[in-house]
Amino acid sequence: MPETTFTTEQSQLVTESWQMLKENSAQHSFTFFSKIFEIAPQARQLFSFLRDNPDAPLDKNPKLKAHALNVFRMTGDSAVMLGKVGAIEALHPRLKELGKKHVGFGVVTPHFQVRSDPFLFCETPFIPSM
């Protein structure tokens, strides 16, 4: 299968956007996960560190904050990589490993479908259109 990459302009726009979002990763990542739980409250049950204390405020959960930050940064860094030749081959083993790990936690395909809308709530002064 031939690999498709971003154009130089698209790659630059993704990189610039990610650099802006990364400046406030902690807040954006928390907003991202908060929106996931707002859209799909049942998703909280997928996280052991939320099941253990379901009534605790999300903003007081350091494990959620750490996980959210890790997911957010990995997603942004991966998006930037997609502009590079060989990115798919480089990302594939890591994504496959993450998929196996998440299946073990009970995550299934429909759970991932809710994850795109929360990105719309990560405010940044400028997100260029492609």
Side-chain angles (χ1 to χ4, degrees):
M1 173 190 319
E3 183 173 316
T4 304
T5 60
F6 294 149
T7 65
T8 302
E9 180 183 44
Q10 290 170 325
S11 182
Q12 181 180 352
L13 292 172
V14 169
T15 299
E16 289 172 6
S17 297
W18 176 235
Q19 291 305 316
M20 285 184 271
L21 285 169
K22 197 161 57 169
E23 290 175 12
N24 196 3
S25 293
Q27 182 59 46
H28 292 317
S29 62
F30 182 75
T31 300
F32 175 77
F33 269 83
S34 295
K35 285 295 176 183
I36 287 175
F37 299 136
E38 182 181 311
I39 293 166
Q42 68 278 16
R44 290 176 73 127
Q45 295 304 308
L46 295 170
F47 297 88
S48 61
F49 49 83
L50 295 178
R51 283 192 310 261
D52 295 344
N53 194 357
D55 297 324
L58 294 176
D59 65 334
K60 304 293 185 211
N61 191 312
K63 289 182 180 179
L64 172 62
K65 287 181 178 183
H67 181 74
L69 187 58
N70 186 34
V71 169
F72 191 79
R73 286 184 175 161
M74 184 192 69
T75 302
D77 291 342
S78 296
V80 169
M81 280 182 65
L82 290 175
K84 315 239 181 310
V85 173
I88 302 300
E89 289 80 10
L91 289 170
H92 189 262
R94 177 71 173 135
L95 294 173
K96 197 171 181 179
E97 175 188 326
L98 283 169
K100 286 180 184 177
K101 185 176 183 179
H102 282 76
V103 165
F105 292 134
V107 177
V108 293
T109 301
H111 294 134
F112 288 100
Q113 292 170 344
V114 74
R115 58 114 183 68
S116 61
D117 288 345
F119 273 115
L120 300 174
F121 294 92
C122 298
E123 296 177 20
T124 182
F126 169 73
I127 297 183
S129 59
M130 290 197 204

